[in-house]
Amino acid sequence: AQSVTQLGSHVSVSEGALVLLRCNYSSSVPPYLFWYVQYPNQGLQLLLKYTSAATLVKGINGFEAEFKKSETSFHLTKPSAHMSDAAEYFCAVSENSWGKFQFGAGTQVVVTP
Amino acid sequence: DTAVSQTPKYLVTQMGNDKSIKCEQNLGHDTMYWYKQDSKKFLKIMFSYNNKELIINETVPNRFSPKSPDKAHLNLHINSLELGDSAVYFCASSRLAGGSYEQYFGPGTRLTVT
C-alpha cells in the first residue's frame, strides 16, 4: 500500500532563503511522485513529477525535487524564496496505472520579508 | 480556455437537501476524478472514471453518486446532505492511456451545509 508523509505542516522562510519541503513515501512498487501547489481558494497546480526518468526533476517557478530510492524521499527545494511562493504544498504518490493518488497532509509555506 | 472547470464554485444548502456539482474538462483526457478536501486541507480521492467506466470507488457513503455522461464530463450528485459533507470538492483529469499520470485540477466547489 502506498502512503506519503510530509514532515512539517508549517514552514516559515525568509525571502531569498532556501525553501526545503520534505516528503517521504511508502510504496510496494516503483512509484510515480508529484508535487502540487495550492494557492488560497484555488485548485492544485502541478509543480513537477517523477516518473522513473531522471532522479533530479525540475519544475515550474524554480522548484526542483530529487528522488532518492534508498531514502524513499522526494524532497522539494527552491534556492531562493519569493513572496509569491507562500502557499500550501502537497506531495503525492501513485503506484499503479489507475491514477489513484495518495496525498500527503500538506505543508503551508509562509514567506517573510 | 479553462482546462478543468466546475460549477458552481460555491454551494450553500441545508441539511437533507440534494445537490449536484458539475465538472468538465477540455484537455482530451480519458480519466476524471472527484476529491474531497476537508477543513484541514487533507485531500481524499472519492471516485474515478476512465472512458466513462468507474475504476476507483473509495469508501464513500452511497449518498454520493458520480455520473459520467461522456469522457469530458463527470458530475457528482449528493443526496440527503449532512453537516459533515461540508468541504471543498475538486474535480481532476488525466490521460492514463498516454502514461503521463499527472492530474489537472479544477478550481474547486466549496460546499457548506447548514
Side-chain angles (χ1 to χ4, degrees):
Chain A
Q2 58 190 23
S3 67
V4 179
T5 302
Q6 289 184 239
L7 296 176
S9 61
H10 186 272
V11 168
S12 182
V13 297
S14 299
E15 191 175 16
L18 172 72
V19 179
L20 170 60
L21 304 182
R22 300 178 189 275
C23 173
N24 288 88
Y25 69 90
S26 169
S27 176
S28 56
V29 298
Y32 301 102
L33 294 159
F34 307 85
W35 275 100
Y36 282 85
V37 61
Q38 184 179 26
Y39 298 103
N41 298 315
Q42 294 187 26
L44 280 72
Q45 181 181 4
L46 179 68
L47 278 176
L48 48 81
K49 64 178 181 180
Y50 168 77
T51 55
S52 76
T55 56
L56 183 61
V57 181
K58 293 188 184 300
I60 63 171
N61 302 340
F63 284 94
E64 64 180 35
E66 186 172 9
F67 172 69
K68 292 187 177 180
K69 183 178 178 180
S70 61
E71 299 177 7
T72 60
S73 69
F74 190 56
H75 301 333
L76 181 72
T77 59
K78 180 174 180 177
S80 177
H82 192 271
M83 297 299 289
S84 60
D85 294 326
E88 190 88 20
Y89 291 78
F90 293 94
C91 181
V93 62
S94 178
E95 64 178 19
N96 60 48
S97 58
W98 307 331
K100 183 177 178 180
F101 277 19
Q102 182 79 39
F103 279 92
T107 298
Q108 184 180 19
V109 171
V110 174
V111 182
T112 56
Chain B
D1 289 326
T2 305
V4 182
S5 59
Q6 296 178 227
T7 54
K9 186 166 177 63
Y10 300 96
L11 187 52
V12 181
T13 188
Q14 292 184 328
M15 287 175 56
N17 285 348
D18 303 339
K19 290 294 179 184
S20 292
I21 306 172
K22 296 186 176 182
C23 178
E24 176 181 2
Q25 56 95 3
N26 62 6
L27 297 168
H29 288 168
D30 55 15
T31 307
M32 298 183 72
Y33 311 80
W34 278 114
Y35 286 86
K36 179 180 181 180
Q37 186 174 48
D38 63 23
S39 58
K40 295 185 178 180
K41 299 287 184 73
F42 186 70
L43 277 156
K44 180 92 165 69
I45 190 165
M46 302 172 69
F47 304 103
S48 175
Y49 274 76
N50 175 260
N51 290 319
K52 301 196 299 176
E53 181 180 343
L54 184 66
I55 59 170
I56 298 175
N57 186 1
E58 292 295 284
T59 306
V60 175
N62 57 17
R63 298 181 295 102
F64 290 78
S65 54
K67 284 187 173 56
S68 182
D70 56 56
K71 287 195 299 183
H73 297 85
L74 180 62
N75 304 323
L76 183 65
H77 188 75
I78 315 170
N79 289 326
S80 303
L81 278 154
E82 300 177 357
L83 292 177
D85 298 331
S86 295
V88 181
Y89 293 84
F90 286 101
C91 177
S93 72
S94 68
R95 181 178 286 122
L96 293 188
S100 55
Y101 304 124
E102 65 264 31
Q103 296 179 14
Y104 293 85
F105 284 76
T109 296
R110 183 176 295 276
L111 172 64
T112 303
V113 182
T114 61

